[in-house]
Amino acid sequence: EVQLVESGGGLVQVWGSLRLSCAASGFTFEDHAIGWFRQAPGKEREGVSCIGARDGSTYYADFAKARFTGSRDKAKNMVYLQMHSLKPEDTAVYYCAILSGPYCLTYGTPEEVEYWGKGTLVTVSS
């Protein structure tokens, strides 16, 4: 059974930092890129970052570049999203997701997703 369990969300002040974690199991890590997505209230779900399965290459949405860093620990089957300089507009539920292939085409689109985690809420207060 595929499982993706996010953690690390919470309330943080503007310009603060958070590290999100995603515990992954039930699938072959080498066969699927992992994406981070987010959905703000009243908005569509959007891609944040993609981490390739074979070479660990990372791609970011423009708003995430220079502030967010995606990484993975293959030995632990864990994926992370380190976020710095958080802004109120980063407030959203953040999801990790399994993408359909091992390589990132871009920073991830919902159409590529095969399986979603349940998400973790990040709230940035000003």
Side-chain angles (χ1 to χ4, degrees), residues 51-66:
I51 304 168
R54 302 286 170 84
D55 58 3
S57 55
T58 51
Y59 298 81
Y60 300 94
D62 285 346
F63 64 80
K65 291 176 181 176

Side-chain angles (χ1 to χ4, degrees), residues 3-126:
Q3 286 195 329
L4 295 173
V5 181
E6 302 94 335
S7 61
L11 177 64
V12 63
Q13 291 190 331
V14 67
W15 304 121
S17 298
L18 278 178
R19 188 177 83 154
L20 306 183
S21 300
C22 175
S25 63
F27 66 99
T28 303
F29 222 59
E30 288 293 311
D31 290 345
H32 297 278
I34 301 293
W36 283 99
F37 295 79
R38 70 183 188 181
Q39 187 165 19
K43 295 189 176 182
E44 294 186 353
R45 196 167 297 188
E46 61 180 350
V48 177
S49 171
C50 179
I51 304 168
R54 302 286 170 84
D55 58 3
S57 55
T58 51
Y59 298 81
Y60 300 94
D62 285 346
F63 64 80
K65 291 176 181 176
R67 297 191 300 129
F68 295 2
T69 302
S71 63
R72 64 180 185 174
D73 185 332
K74 293 174 69 174
K76 296 181 180 179
N77 279 4
M78 294 291 295
V79 182
Y80 305 98
L81 184 68
Q82 178 69 55
M83 305 186 293
H84 295 294
S85 303
L86 285 163
K87 307 173 184 179
E89 51 264 43
D90 294 317
T91 294
V93 177
Y94 284 73
Y95 302 87
C96 67
I98 298 170
L99 304 190
S100 57
Y103 301 106
C104 298
L105 303 179
T106 63
Y107 50 82
T109 62
E111 292 74 21
E112 298 175 75
V113 174
E114 286 196 352
Y115 192 89
W116 294 97
K118 295 188 184 301
T120 185
L121 176 63
V122 172
T123 304
V124 184
S125 68
S126 55

